[in-house]
Amino acid sequence: MKTEFKVSKEDFTRNRKQRFPILLLFMLNFLKKSLSLEIENFTSLLKVGPNAKFTKSAFVQARKKVRPEVFDRLSQVLLNEFYTDNEPAIKLWKGFRLLAVDGTRITLPITAELKEIYGETKNQSSTVLVQARCSVIYDVLNKYVLDGALEPLKRGERDLALSHLGHCNSDDLMIYDRGYPSYDFIYQHINRDFDYLMRAKTSFSGLVKDFEESRKKSLVVSIYPGKNAKLSDKEYTKNSPIKVRLIRIDLGKGNVEILMTSLLDSNVHPTSQFKELYFKRWGVETFYDELKNKLRIEHFSGYSNQSILQDFKAALFVSNVQTLIVSELEEDLKESNRDKKYDYKVNTNISYGLLKDRVVTLFLDKKPTGIDIVEELKTLYKSHLVPIRTNRKSERNPDKYRSRIKPKITKNQKDGV
């Protein structure tokens, strides 16, 4: 799905109450209350006079002229700043940047427009929901979102994952869960010179099933397109082999994981390292917890598709801003953790709350006299730390958010956005 959002050359060029930068700042400021209250808070924060305040209706009309991709651009500027000429600060694994790709479902408001775009689904109680497929590519060591997409469920996870590859380079190692592997998916990575690590189902092929039953720890094999693969528009044939390495991970109590990777050399990458390596994928699961429970992405500030995409893209940018600020505390936390039983980290639930309003002043051209917002946030973050308790396991429940029943939307709410 690709929605076009057109902006006129005349938009935001006059002397308006809602200049473009101010509009973006308002949209970044965690709009979770009613728009009327958020506008009152925002204009008070800017200390503008009564003649400079804007109405809910004015905001609704102005946001129609803002492309959601503007927040992608802001994130890209931030990411370029972090990843360029900043080698000492960038965390790598054996020279690789570790990127995890995963998807989830985001529950949307129930409107005619969103039903038309995203379709309808039902939860366990047969309640009709409107849901979108969310996919992100996430740097699990540095904790930045490189790209995110919100699309109809009919668009598959593999397709969305491949759309993220434009944000990758040859020094990246992509980590995927077991829903992703296929011959074509692996071929797309090899063809672009990207390395990968994927969890494979035993039903992937007879080779994988035989490998699991053999109890071998590691084996390099050749895979081919499946018998029913449609090859008419492909660059390969049914006789095109791809070499992959299969790795057996024993989880205890008879449980086994089979991993598939492009890292074929067991001397350079011994089998023993892959259990811990694959577990690093958990970082993207943690990000989704933040997106849904801390950033509360499913509490949208509008009901149009454009509003939904604006909120989604803005949340990804705010997450990266949060990561940037927290990363500057890393050395301080290492020092303070030295003599403690547990290592401590910033409490993300509280830290996102502390960003409310401060994210506005953070980007203002004229900041309050004598106040360094970043330093203030760092001080506040250090006063709200929580211990990191290792070896704690929790299973992901992919249906956790699907049973949520969205309230019905009134006609005024629909018209208001």
Side-chain angles (χ1 to χ4, degrees):
M1 178 199 70
K2 186 174 182 180
T3 306
E4 294 292 337
F5 301 105
K6 296 183 179 180
V7 180
S8 167
K9 293 181 179 179
E10 287 75 31
D11 291 334
F12 305 108
T13 56
R14 298 184 209 164
N15 185 19
R16 298 179 183 273
K17 295 178 182 179
Q18 295 183 70
R19 292 180 293 115
F20 185 64
I22 297 299
L23 184 63
L24 294 188
L25 284 178
F26 179 60
M27 295 167 69
L28 287 172
N29 198 30
F30 300 88
L31 305 181
K32 305 306 176 186
K33 299 178 182 178
S34 73
L35 282 180
S36 297
L37 289 175
E38 292 287 6
I39 291 169
E40 183 64 31
N41 172 72
F42 181 73
T43 51
S44 297
L45 183 67
L46 297 183
K47 296 181 172 59
V48 298
N51 293 331
K53 292 187 177 183
F54 56 90
T55 64
K56 173 182 172 180
S57 177
F59 167 68
V60 168
Q61 294 304 313
R63 79 181 305 179
K64 291 179 181 179
K65 304 168 186 176
V66 177
R67 294 171 62 94
E69 293 84 356
V70 68
F71 298 107
D72 288 334
R73 178 59 184 153
L74 291 173
S75 266
Q76 197 56 56
V77 171
L78 186 153
L79 292 170
N80 289 343
E81 182 70 20
F82 175 74
Y83 287 115
T84 303
D85 299 326
N86 192 31
E87 286 78 6
I90 300 173
K91 298 177 184 177
L92 303 172
W93 179 87
K94 296 184 180 295
F96 286 106
R97 185 171 61 164
L98 293 186
L99 306 180
V101 177
D102 201 11
T104 189
R105 294 188 181 194
I106 300 292
T107 301
L108 308 179
I110 300 175
T111 70
E113 180 193 12
L114 297 179
K115 283 182 181 180
E116 176 69 22
I117 295 172
Y118 297 96
E120 299 178 32
T121 60
K122 292 184 180 181
N123 62 12
Q124 299 91 329
S125 60
S126 296
T127 301
V128 173
L129 301 173
V130 176
Q131 293 185 316
R133 189 182 305 284
C134 171
S135 180
V136 301
I137 183 166
Y138 184 74
D139 183 337
V140 296
L141 297 182
N142 298 292
K143 300 183 179 179
Y144 285 103
V145 183
L146 274 60
D147 186 41
L150 203 64
E151 297 284 348
L153 295 180
K154 63 184 179 183
R155 188 168 180 189
E157 286 188 330
R158 289 176 189 151
D159 186 29
L160 287 178
L162 291 175
S163 75
H164 297 315
L165 294 185
H167 297 265
C168 304
N169 58 57
S170 58
D171 294 324
D172 292 335
L173 175 62
M174 267 68 80
I175 308 178
Y176 299 95
D177 202 359
R178 62 181 183 177
Y180 288 90
S182 73
Y183 178 93
D184 185 73
F185 191 70
I186 293 171
Y187 175 85
Q188 296 298 332
H189 286 69
I190 298 300
N191 193 45
R192 304 185 200 191
D193 196 28
F194 293 150
D195 285 293
Y196 61 84
L197 175 66
M198 308 179 189
R199 184 180 173 188
K201 298 177 182 178
T202 54
S203 60
F204 177 83
S205 71
L207 279 174
V208 174
K209 191 175 189 322
D210 290 344
F211 172 73
E212 183 189 32
E213 293 174 351
S214 74
R215 305 190 69 82
K216 292 179 180 178
K217 295 293 185 181
S218 177
L219 183 67
V220 176
V221 300
S222 292
I223 62 172
Y224 295 84
K227 294 180 181 179
N228 299 321
K230 297 179 181 179
L231 305 178
S232 58
D233 61 341
K234 303 298 183 183
E235 300 173 0
Y236 50 82
T237 71
K238 63 179 181 179
N239 297 316
S240 302
I242 295 178
K243 281 191 175 182
V244 303
R245 182 180 173 193
L246 301 178
I247 297 167
R248 178 189 178 94
I249 305 295
D250 291 307
L251 303 176
K253 297 182 180 180
N255 296 317
V256 173
E257 254 179 15
I258 304 298
L259 303 180
M260 187 179 292
T261 183
S262 57
L263 304 179
L264 304 180
D265 193 334
S266 59
N267 293 319
V268 178
H269 300 290
T271 303
S272 58
Q273 72 183 10
F274 283 94
K275 181 177 181 179
E276 181 180 352
L277 174 59
Y278 181 73
F279 183 74
K280 294 184 185 297
R281 193 196 70 83
W282 189 254
V284 73
E285 305 278 3
T286 302
F287 168 74
Y288 275 135
D289 174 68
E290 291 184 12
L291 187 66
K292 291 186 175 183
N293 296 322
K294 279 75 172 182
L295 285 166
R296 297 170 64 201
I297 186 59
E298 292 176 314
H299 294 258
F300 295 101
S301 65
Y303 297 92
S304 68
N305 186 47
Q306 186 164 358
S307 300
I308 299 298
L309 294 176
Q310 287 168 347
D311 286 352
F312 173 69
K313 300 288 189 178
L316 300 187
F317 174 63
V318 169
S319 172
N320 285 339
V321 171
Q322 159 89 346
T323 294
L324 181 63
I325 297 171
V326 171
S327 67
E328 294 194 7
L329 289 173
E330 193 163 280
E331 291 303 318
D332 290 349
L333 293 180
K334 283 183 181 178
E335 183 65 29
S336 64
N337 287 333
R338 188 163 295 175
D339 299 320
K340 296 179 181 178
K341 180 180 179 180
Y342 296 108
D343 286 342
Y344 281 73
K345 64 179 181 179
V346 172
N347 186 327
T348 55
N349 195 32
I350 293 177
S351 63
Y352 277 119
L354 293 170
L355 264 182
K356 172 74 173 177
D357 295 342
R358 291 181 177 87
V359 74
V360 175
T361 52
L362 183 65
F363 292 104
L364 282 176
D365 291 335
K366 296 181 180 179
K367 297 179 175 60
T369 304
I371 296 179
D372 187 318
I373 302 301
V374 173
E375 290 304 317
E376 180 188 20
L377 282 167
K378 287 162 65 174
T379 299
L380 290 168
Y381 284 5
K382 284 193 289 186
S383 66
H384 294 90
L385 303 178
V386 291
I388 304 172
R389 294 184 173 89
T390 58
N391 300 320
R392 299 177 73 185
K393 297 181 180 180
S394 58
E395 291 294 325
R396 180 188 182 197
N397 179 5
D399 295 320
K400 178 178 179 181
Y401 304 98
R402 298 185 192 178
S403 60
R404 185 175 300 156
I405 299 175
K406 286 289 182 182
K408 291 184 178 180
I409 301 168
T410 66
K411 183 179 183 301
N412 287 338
Q413 288 174 316
K414 291 180 184 178
D415 294 342
V417 292

